[in-house]
Amino acid sequence: MKKKILSISVVLLISISVFAQKPQKLNSNQIYEKIQKLNFLGTALYIAAHPDDENTRLIAYLANKVKARTGYLSLTRGDGGQNLIGPEIRELLGVIRTQELLAARNVDGGEQLFSRANDFGYSKHPDETLEIWNKEEVLSDVVWAIRTFKPDVIINRFDHRTPGTTHGHHTSSAMLSVEAFDIAGDSLAFKDQLKYTQSWQPKRLFHNTSSWFYRDKAKFEEIAKDYTKFDIGVYYPLKGLSNNELASIASSQHLCQGFGRLTTRGEQTEYAEFLKGEPLKDKNDIFSGINTTWNRVKGGGEIGDILYDIEKNFDFVHPEKHIVKLLEAYTLIIQLEDNHWKTIKEKQIKEIIQASTGLYLEASAESSYATPNSKINVDMEILNRSESFMILSSITSTIDDKTYAKQLPIGNNKKFNFREIINLKDLAYSDPYWLKQEASLGMYNVDEQVLIGNPETKRPVQIDFNLIIDGIPITFTKNVVRRFSERDKGEIYQPFEILPLVTTKLKDKVLIFDDENHKQVSVTVKAGANFISGKLALELPEGWQISPKQHIFNIEKKNDQETFDFAVFPPKNESVGKIKVKATANGKEFTKELVEINYNHIPKQSVLLNSEAKVVRLNIKKVGDNIGYIKGAGDVVPENLRQIGYTVDEINPAEINEENLHKYDAIVLGIRAYNVVKELKFKQKFLLDYVEKGGNLIVQYNTNRGVNVGAPYSLSLSRDRVTDEFAEVRILDEKHPILNYPNKITQDDFKGWVQERGLYFPNSWSEEYTPILSMNDKGETAKEGSLLIAKYGKGNYIYTGISFFRELPAGVSGAYKLFANMLSVGKK
């Protein structure tokens, strides 16, 4: 058997396909690995709760060593976490983490699935989790994933038998998986799903365990003697990487969670505990006794005879030599009676045929987006880089079912370019499907069953390239993209989107009125096409006034925008409500804001949110004007403080010195500043000097892992948190100035909070600190470290784990009052 291994840096390939978002072009090694995977008919599904919960080592092992079709079902999109790389939180963070998961799967070879569960934040027990989630709906989503993905084996990341020992979402994911394993094969359970799929009974269920779950390595090693073991450090010569190196690269895609990491290599063992199902015939093979050959499907034997021979005698130098046999196998695959395997294997073999011929197909639009009922120019490119006799018979626009006859012979290395005009019809917007309807605290609202579980919205416009290769008709479907270049970045690929004719944006998402004076509210109108005119108006809560009532806009060019100002007058008394923007053009109303998320490691994302802002008439007092803010992991607290009249300067940590801090009435450190801003360890002496000479320093929460916040007195961070936003808050010292000046803080100020009270509270501190508040989740001891203040020299040092970074953007009145008091301490 002749095999010449072509050496190529897989790291380079990953950087091309993931970071630059360019279409993947397979080399011979990768084609061969695709053939190996084509010849394995077994499926594994890994189940956990969040992005980053997945064990990329085991997923990579199953996908690349075993060659199994391997999926990761993440019950949530990670919406409730924090963001290390930018200000996006909640649903926008979920969009980022969704794409980071897809980037990770693109590296480790897995596939990605989701449920409709909304990550509402940290939960301490599955009872709470399943009460806030709609348990029955999330269970139905897990059953749906099993019935559509049809895994032979399921592997849970977490233990269903240990509620209360880890995040409630974690344990819930395992509990729901165990329940779904038992009922997915029952045709009486969730019967409505069977309109679109069939019941399915997996063969085995496992728990991917480790010594971490036992906290006792020696005890675990004794127990684990009977568990299935995997050496996930296995080396892949075709990649030039070991499995754990590949897994590290995949895990490093979770950049918004700070998961960038060094690669690891060498022998490493993972364990799977058998929970239920058919007993293993071979303890160390989770697929043992399951037919994973082509003989698994009716008519598969003949296909296997062809494809196993190609795998055995693969020509790495001239993979095109196998085209005739690959086409022969393709014609048999599309005749299979088993629609499940037919769909999977047809997609796989078409990818191999395209790569083996060096066939390049592309459909690039003239713009990255267009509006419904418009027309776009799409540039097509087709290039055959083999001696296979190839004819482009036609192309079809799947969106309007229009076919363009070509009957064009495509010779070796002869490129053809042509342009067609595509009619987009009345298409739905292509923003994330799970955000199209209002969500509850625990669930996203998705009515269409077949959408549930999909990682993202299907691309709105596709082109079918209908070819005949060596006499065999075959169609390749390509998403329309936008390909262009920038001089300082090179070639760029972006998804093509369907977006509204008009979008609007309020400059501020929370408007705080601290007196009866009006504020100027700015609204930007963006045109999605040329020559757009219409009217712009605002809807206000009862008791609020506006001038003028509306504006007229006329915008000549697509992508141009115009900003209009309204004077908004608050009522005399305290009031909370929403301003909603309504634009009217071409006889239609437009109420959406376009949010574009553009990071280098994921494709550009276009999200449509309601164009609205929270308005709060708040009787708030403040002392001092100038605030210095040192950004941490990313929040919008500076913008929120400007809303109540502070002048906020964002300080570059590198520029902190002995002189430039004392002009500020207070210095605030953003969330996780000591976790992510390396310069602070060298600048801490200047910050403490600022306090000692009379300044106020407010330090917001940091995670407790390996961090030193440089406090003036002993302070120990913990993982203590209060996740219930309705938890009782007890005031420890009602007379303390921080609760009385310039605003009186009462129990009413802790109403209406969102997601949580706070996190990573200190759990021990020296006597110099005064704890201000006490709170706890149900059934737990009191936590008094949420807000600590200490006199240091002439000034005050304040450490707080209260989640102001969530409460201020949500317009929580009491949070604004308390923060203003913190800034004003010592100023009376």
Side-chain angles (χ1 to χ4, degrees):
M1 180 172 62
K2 177 183 178 184
K3 289 184 181 179
K4 180 178 179 181
I5 308 299
L6 301 180
S7 62
I8 188 166
S9 169
V10 74
V11 176
L12 175 61
L13 288 173
I14 290 170
S15 69
I16 290 174
S17 62
V18 176
F19 299 111
Q21 309 308 327
K22 296 182 180 179
Q24 191 175 23
K25 305 176 183 70
L26 303 179
N27 60 57
S28 291
N29 290 5
Q30 292 169 309
I31 294 172
Y32 176 69
E33 289 180 310
K34 295 284 186 182
I35 292 171
Q36 290 180 306
K37 200 158 190 172
L38 181 65
N39 283 334
F40 190 92
L41 280 71
T43 305
L45 181 62
Y46 199 89
I47 299 179
H50 309 108
D52 84 3
D53 283 346
E54 83 274 27
N55 184 342
T56 54
R57 299 180 299 274
L58 189 51
I59 290 175
Y61 179 89
L62 293 171
N64 294 278
K65 174 61 177 177
V66 179
K67 305 299 181 185
R69 182 181 184 224
T70 307
Y72 173 44
L73 171 58
S74 176
L75 295 194
T76 76
R77 297 176 186 266
D79 327 73
Q82 288 84 49
N83 184 0
L84 193 67
I85 61 175
E88 297 89 356
I89 58 174
R90 290 305 306 151
E91 66 271 7
L92 295 180
L93 178 59
V95 171
I96 294 174
R97 291 188 170 182
T98 294
Q99 292 300 318
E100 289 182 341
L101 274 173
L102 288 170
R105 300 294 79 78
N106 196 34
V107 174
D108 61 31
E111 299 179 40
Q112 188 61 50
L113 301 86
F114 291 97
S115 83
R116 289 170 291 172
N118 193 343
D119 180 2
F120 56 84
Y122 193 88
S123 175
K124 294 179 177 178
H125 199 279
D127 288 350
E128 178 196 35
T129 298
L130 296 174
E131 182 179 338
I132 295 175
W133 288 350
N134 183 318
K135 180 192 172 184
E136 194 70 5
E137 289 188 359
V138 182
L139 176 61
S140 76
D141 291 355
V142 180
V143 170
W144 172 256
I146 293 172
R147 287 173 171 175
T148 54
F149 201 70
K150 300 191 185 315
D152 299 299
V153 296
I154 294 176
I155 304 172
N156 293 338
R157 182 53 173 150
F158 299 103
D159 194 340
H160 64 289
R161 300 159 294 192
T162 56
T165 60
T166 183
H167 197 320
H169 296 182
H170 293 169
T171 311
S172 295
S173 71
M175 293 168 63
L176 292 169
S177 174
V178 171
E179 190 171 349
F181 180 90
D182 291 333
I183 65 174
D186 182 356
S187 60
L188 298 179
F190 301 111
K191 291 188 291 184
D192 288 349
Q193 295 180 1
L194 301 181
K195 301 173 186 176
Y196 311 99
T197 188
Q198 303 82 37
S199 56
W200 177 259
Q201 181 57 57
K203 296 292 192 294
R204 298 184 182 111
L205 178 67
F206 297 88
H207 169 217
N208 176 204
T209 188
S210 70
S211 58
W212 184 88
F213 290 98
Y214 287 80
R215 303 291 197 273
D216 185 333
K217 188 174 182 180
K219 179 181 178 181
F220 173 74
E221 289 178 350
E222 180 64 27
I223 295 172
K225 289 178 180 179
D226 295 326
Y227 293 168
T228 299
K229 299 178 182 179
F230 312 89
D231 177 9
I232 51 84
V234 61
Y235 180 66
Y236 302 128
L238 294 174
K239 299 180 185 295
L241 291 172
S242 61
N243 185 79
N244 34 16
E245 286 178 287
L246 191 68
S248 297
I249 297 169
S251 183
S252 288
Q253 305 309 307
H254 297 298
L255 295 183
C256 74
Q257 299 176 79
F259 267 51
R261 59 184 59 184
L262 291 171
T263 56
T264 59
R265 56 203 60 79
E267 183 180 15
Q268 193 174 354
T269 304
E270 284 287 340
Y271 299 88
E273 175 192 4
F274 175 76
L275 296 178
K276 60 172 58 180
E278 295 182 3
L280 287 163
K281 294 184 177 181
D282 178 351
K283 186 179 73 173
N284 290 320
D285 178 8
I286 61 174
F287 286 98
S288 64
I290 299 171
N291 188 352
T292 58
T293 71
W294 274 104
N295 288 322
R296 176 174 188 159
V297 295
K298 182 180 178 182
E302 188 178 355
I303 299 170
D305 289 341
I306 299 169
L307 294 178
Y308 293 136
D309 184 70
I310 293 175
E311 179 181 345
K312 180 180 178 181
N313 299 289
F314 186 71
D315 191 325
F316 285 85
V317 178
H318 295 289
E320 71 276 9
K321 290 182 178 179
H322 303 292
I323 290 298
V324 172
K325 286 295 183 181
L326 286 168
L327 288 167
E328 185 180 343
Y330 166 76
T331 59
L332 295 172
I333 287 173
I334 62 176
Q335 297 174 43
L336 288 174
E337 295 178 14
D338 188 321
N339 284 326
H340 174 71
W341 284 113
K342 172 186 172 181
T343 301
I344 294 168
K345 295 305 174 181
E346 180 183 354
K347 179 181 178 182
Q348 290 177 345
I349 197 168
K350 285 168 71 171
E351 184 180 19
I352 293 167
I353 291 170
Q354 181 181 345
S356 297
T357 58
L359 178 61
Y360 185 80
L361 301 167
E362 181 180 276
S364 176
E366 60 186 340
S367 173
S368 62
Y369 76 95
T371 60
N373 294 310
S374 64
K375 296 180 180 180
I376 57 165
N377 292 321
V378 178
D379 293 314
M380 318 285 183
E381 179 178 335
I382 180 167
L383 174 63
N384 167 29
R385 289 170 284 194
S386 74
E387 294 296 339
S388 295
F389 181 69
M390 199 175 295
I391 295 174
L392 176 63
S393 58
S394 64
I395 62 169
T396 301
S397 166
T398 61
I399 209 63
D400 57 8
D401 295 324
K402 187 174 181 180
T403 297
Y404 304 85
K406 297 297 179 184
Q407 296 303 318
L408 185 66
I410 309 295
N412 186 4
N413 216 29
K414 301 295 183 182
K415 184 173 72 170
F416 291 89
N417 295 91
F418 43 89
R419 171 177 285 193
E420 300 294 349
I421 300 175
I422 306 299
N423 186 347
L424 296 177
K425 292 190 173 182
D426 191 17
L427 294 179
Y429 302 139
S430 57
D431 61 320
Y433 72 87
W434 64 96
L435 299 180
K436 290 181 181 289
Q437 300 184 59
E438 186 174 353
S440 68
L441 175 63
M443 296 295 297
Y444 284 113
N445 190 358
V446 181
D447 294 331
E448 196 172 344
Q449 180 67 51
V450 294
L451 289 179
I452 295 172
N454 291 346
E456 57 185 344
T457 302
K458 182 181 177 182
R459 291 292 90 208
V461 185
Q462 297 175 317
I463 299 296
D464 286 343
F465 291 85
N466 306 307
L467 290 93
I468 299 173
I469 303 177
D470 290 338
I472 304 298
I474 186 169
T475 296
F476 296 95
T477 302
K478 297 296 177 182
N479 294 325
V480 171
V481 297
R482 166 64 172 154
R483 180 170 71 98
F484 63 102
S485 67
E486 292 184 1
R487 294 180 66 179
D488 59 339
K489 296 179 181 177
E491 188 175 56
I492 299 172
Y493 281 79
Q494 288 182 348
F496 176 77
E497 308 284 9
I498 302 296
L499 298 174
L501 185 67
V502 176
T503 55
T504 60
K505 181 179 182 180
L506 282 155
K507 180 182 176 183
D508 300 300
K509 296 298 177 282
V510 175
L511 294 158
I512 307 295
F513 292 76
D514 56 355
D515 54 33
E516 295 182 36
N517 294 324
H518 76 274
K519 281 191 175 185
Q520 180 177 292
V521 175
S522 298
V523 183
T524 298
V525 180
K526 183 177 181 180
N530 294 332
F531 304 109
I532 300 300
S533 60
K535 298 177 181 180
L536 179 69
L538 299 183
E539 294 181 0
L540 277 77
E542 185 177 354
W544 295 69
Q545 302 297 323
I546 189 171
S547 179
K549 296 294 184 182
Q550 66 179 28
H551 284 286
I552 303 297
F553 61 86
N554 293 281
I555 304 176
E556 291 188 3
K557 292 185 178 181
K558 178 179 179 178
N559 288 325
D560 274 0
Q561 51 192 33
E562 193 173 350
T563 299
F564 300 90
D565 294 328
F566 293 88
V568 174
F569 298 83
K572 291 183 179 180
N573 299 321
E574 291 196 350
S575 173
V576 177
K578 285 184 178 180
I579 288 180
K580 298 181 179 181
V581 183
K582 182 174 69 174
T584 305
N586 289 5
K588 294 183 178 181
E589 289 187 358
F590 298 92
T591 60
K592 294 295 184 180
E593 173 190 353
L594 172 62
V595 179
E596 294 182 327
I597 301 173
N598 205 358
Y599 292 100
N600 289 334
H601 67 301
I602 60 174
K604 180 182 177 182
Q605 299 297 297
S606 299
V607 185
L608 296 174
L609 302 178
N610 290 332
S611 187
E612 60 186 27
K614 187 173 185 178
V615 288
V616 180
R617 170 66 174 95
L618 172 64
N619 291 319
I620 187 172
K621 300 174 183 177
K622 62 184 182 64
V623 178
D625 295 308
N626 298 318
I627 308 300
Y629 201 92
I630 301 172
K631 280 276 192 176
D635 59 63
V636 293
V637 171
E639 290 89 332
N640 301 141
L641 296 180
R642 293 183 184 111
Q643 280 286 323
I644 55 174
Y646 286 105
T647 298
V648 184
D649 295 337
E650 295 186 22
I651 300 172
N652 181 350
E655 297 175 358
I656 294 174
N657 58 45
E658 193 172 356
E659 303 297 329
N660 64 1
L661 299 180
H662 298 288
K663 62 182 177 181
Y664 296 112
D665 296 304
I667 303 289
V668 182
L669 273 70
I671 60 173
R672 296 169 70 176
Y674 290 97
N675 294 121
V676 300
V677 182
K678 297 177 182 178
E679 293 95 331
L680 282 181
K681 69 173 68 174
F682 307 109
K683 301 296 183 177
Q684 187 66 14
K685 59 183 179 181
F686 300 121
L687 293 172
L688 293 182
D689 177 69
Y690 163 79
V691 179
E692 192 172 22
K693 292 179 179 178
N696 279 352
L697 180 66
I698 299 172
V699 180
Q700 297 182 83
Y701 96 93
N702 290 264
T703 59
N704 67 328
R705 186 180 301 173
V707 66
N708 179 8
V709 297
Y713 311 111
S714 175
L715 183 74
S716 178
L717 303 185
S718 73
R719 295 183 62 86
D720 286 352
R721 63 176 73 203
V722 176
T723 63
D724 182 0
E725 64 268 40
F726 306 108
E728 179 189 3
V729 176
R730 297 173 293 276
I731 294 173
L732 297 176
D733 183 357
E734 292 185 356
K735 296 182 179 181
H736 196 283
I738 204 169
L739 298 176
N740 291 277
Y741 181 80
N743 303 286
K744 177 66 176 177
I745 304 299
T746 69
Q747 290 292 340
D748 286 344
D749 292 307
F750 296 99
K751 295 178 180 178
W753 288 51
V754 299
Q755 186 160 329
E756 63 197 356
R757 290 295 190 191
L759 63 171
Y760 292 100
F761 298 161
N763 63 353
S764 66
W765 50 86
S766 63
E767 62 183 10
E768 287 84 359
Y769 295 97
T770 299
I772 303 299
L773 305 172
S774 175
M775 59 188 75
N776 57 273
D777 282 322
K778 183 179 179 180
E780 294 190 353
T781 58
K783 307 294 187 291
E784 297 184 351
S786 63
L787 179 58
L788 302 174
I789 182 169
K791 194 73 176 175
Y792 182 65
K794 297 179 181 179
N796 295 279
Y797 178 91
I798 299 172
Y799 190 94
T800 179
I802 294 174
S803 58
F804 289 105
F805 73 102
R806 296 195 192 280
E807 311 312 321
L808 299 186
V812 177
S813 301
Y816 274 93
K817 289 181 180 179
L818 181 55
F819 210 98
N821 283 14
M822 290 160 53
L823 295 170
S824 305
V825 166
K827 300 293 192 295
K828 188 172 183 179

